[in-house]
Amino acid sequence: MAILPILHFPDPRLRIKAQPVERVDDSVRKLVDDMLETMYEAPGIGLAAPQVNVSKRVIVIDISDDKSSPLCLINPEIIRRDGIEEMEEGCLSVPSIFEKVERARQVTVRFLDRDGKSVETAADELLAVCIQHEIDHLEGKLFVDYLSELKRQRIRKKLDKIRRRTM
Ligand code: GNR
Ligand code: NI
């Protein structure tokens, strides 16, 4: 297992649309394990492959408090959305920024699991938000894209300042 470096906004590599996984093989399972380790170490509740500079449609999620519920979603597709909900979001690629974003309240998602088996599951609350946030990453989209240009500009400046301090 390995901890992978996480790309930060406004890195243009976060904007690349990720490619579908053609076959769930050992190399994909190794990526999933490395992503889980990276997510737990960060720590975060989700991670999408483009955040670790891998342009594949792979996401991992664990919203439990004790690392007890790792999920891996390969080639995920939202096939149903219901309702609207607003939640405060953060992102490992936009560190130290938290803002409210509007999402679907409930989603049904279809994906391949780590054995390559097709699975369909419904999610709500934090899990639904996280699934939508991670699938956005696969499209090159970040939660700051839902904010105003002014807010995004302020976030860019704040992150620049943090980077200058730590470089
Ligand atoms: O760790 C994370 N927390 C979080 C909180 C609210 C909404 C979404 C998230 S996902 C984020 C990890 C991350 O950046 N995943 O891409
Ligand atoms: Ni994120």
Coordinates of all heavy atoms in Angstrom, one line a residue, residues 46-48 51 89-94 133-134 137 141-143, ligand 2:
G46 N -13.9 10.7 1.5 CA -14.0 10.3 0.2 C -12.7 10.7 -0.6 O -12.0 11.6 -0.2
L47 N -12.5 10.1 -1.7 CA -11.4 10.4 -2.6 C -11.6 9.9 -4.0 O -12.1 8.8 -4.2 CB -10.0 9.8 -2.1 CG -8.8 10.3 -2.7 CD1 -8.4 11.7 -2.4 CD2 -7.6 9.4 -2.3
A48 N -11.4 10.8 -5.0 CA -11.6 10.4 -6.4 C -10.2 10.3 -7.1 O -9.3 11.1 -6.7 CB -12.4 11.4 -7.1
Q51 N -7.9 13.2 -8.1 CA -7.2 13.9 -7.0 C -5.8 13.4 -6.7 O -5.0 14.1 -6.1 CB -8.0 13.8 -5.7 CG -9.4 14.6 -5.7 CD -10.1 14.4 -4.4 OE1 -10.8 13.5 -4.2 NE2 -10.0 15.4 -3.6
E89 N -19.6 21.7 2.6 CA -18.7 20.7 2.1 C -17.3 21.2 2.2 O -17.0 22.4 2.3 CB -19.0 20.5 0.6 CG -20.4 19.9 0.3 CD -20.6 19.3 -1.1 OE1 -19.6 19.1 -1.8 OE2 -21.7 19.1 -1.4
G90 N -16.4 20.2 2.2 CA -14.9 20.5 2.2 C -14.4 19.6 1.1 O -15.1 18.7 0.6
C91 N -13.1 19.8 0.8 CA -12.4 18.9 -0.2 C -11.0 18.8 0.1 O -10.3 19.9 0.4 CB -12.7 19.5 -1.6 SG -11.9 18.5 -2.9
L92 N -10.4 17.6 0.0 CA -9.0 17.5 0.2 C -8.1 18.2 -0.8 O -7.0 18.5 -0.5 CB -8.6 16.0 0.2 CG -9.2 15.1 1.3 CD1 -9.0 13.7 1.1 CD2 -8.7 15.6 2.7
S93 N -8.7 18.6 -2.0 CA -8.0 19.3 -3.0 C -8.2 20.8 -2.8 O -7.6 21.6 -3.6 CB -8.5 18.9 -4.4 OG -8.1 17.5 -4.6
V94 N -9.0 21.2 -1.8 CA -9.3 22.6 -1.5 C -9.1 22.8 0.0 O -10.1 23.1 0.6 CB -10.6 23.1 -2.1 CG1 -10.7 24.7 -2.0 CG2 -11.0 22.6 -3.4
H133 N -20.2 14.6 -4.8 CA -19.0 15.3 -4.8 C -17.9 14.5 -5.5 O -17.1 15.1 -6.3 CB -18.6 15.6 -3.3 CG -17.3 16.2 -3.0 ND1 -17.2 17.5 -2.5 CD2 -16.0 15.8 -3.2 CE1 -15.9 17.8 -2.4 NE2 -15.2 16.8 -2.8
E134 N -17.8 13.2 -5.2 CA -16.7 12.4 -5.9 C -17.0 12.2 -7.4 O -16.0 12.3 -8.1 CB -16.7 11.0 -5.2 CG -16.4 11.0 -3.7 CD -15.2 11.9 -3.3 OE1 -14.4 12.2 -4.1 OE2 -15.3 12.4 -2.1
H137 N -15.7 15.1 -9.3 CA -14.3 15.0 -9.5 C -13.9 14.3 -10.8 O -13.0 14.6 -11.5 CB -13.5 14.4 -8.4 CG -13.2 15.2 -7.2 ND1 -12.4 16.3 -7.3 CD2 -13.6 15.1 -5.9 CE1 -12.3 16.9 -6.1 NE2 -13.0 16.2 -5.2
K141 N -14.9 18.5 -12.1 CA -15.6 19.6 -11.4 C -15.3 19.6 -9.9 O -15.2 18.5 -9.3 CB -17.1 19.3 -11.6 CG -18.0 20.4 -11.2 CD -19.3 20.4 -11.9 CE -20.1 21.6 -11.4 NZ -21.0 22.2 -12.3
L142 N -15.2 20.8 -9.3 CA -14.9 20.9 -7.9 C -16.0 21.7 -7.2 O -16.8 22.4 -7.8 CB -13.6 21.7 -7.7 CG -12.4 21.1 -8.4 CD1 -11.2 22.1 -8.3 CD2 -12.0 19.8 -7.8
F143 N -16.2 21.5 -5.9 CA -17.3 22.1 -5.2 C -17.2 23.6 -5.3 O -18.3 24.3 -5.2 CB -17.5 21.6 -3.8 CG -16.6 22.2 -2.7 CD1 -17.2 23.2 -1.9 CD2 -15.3 21.9 -2.5 CE1 -16.4 23.9 -0.9 CE2 -14.5 22.5 -1.6 CZ -15.1 23.5 -0.8
Ligands
NI2 NI -13.1 16.5 -3.1

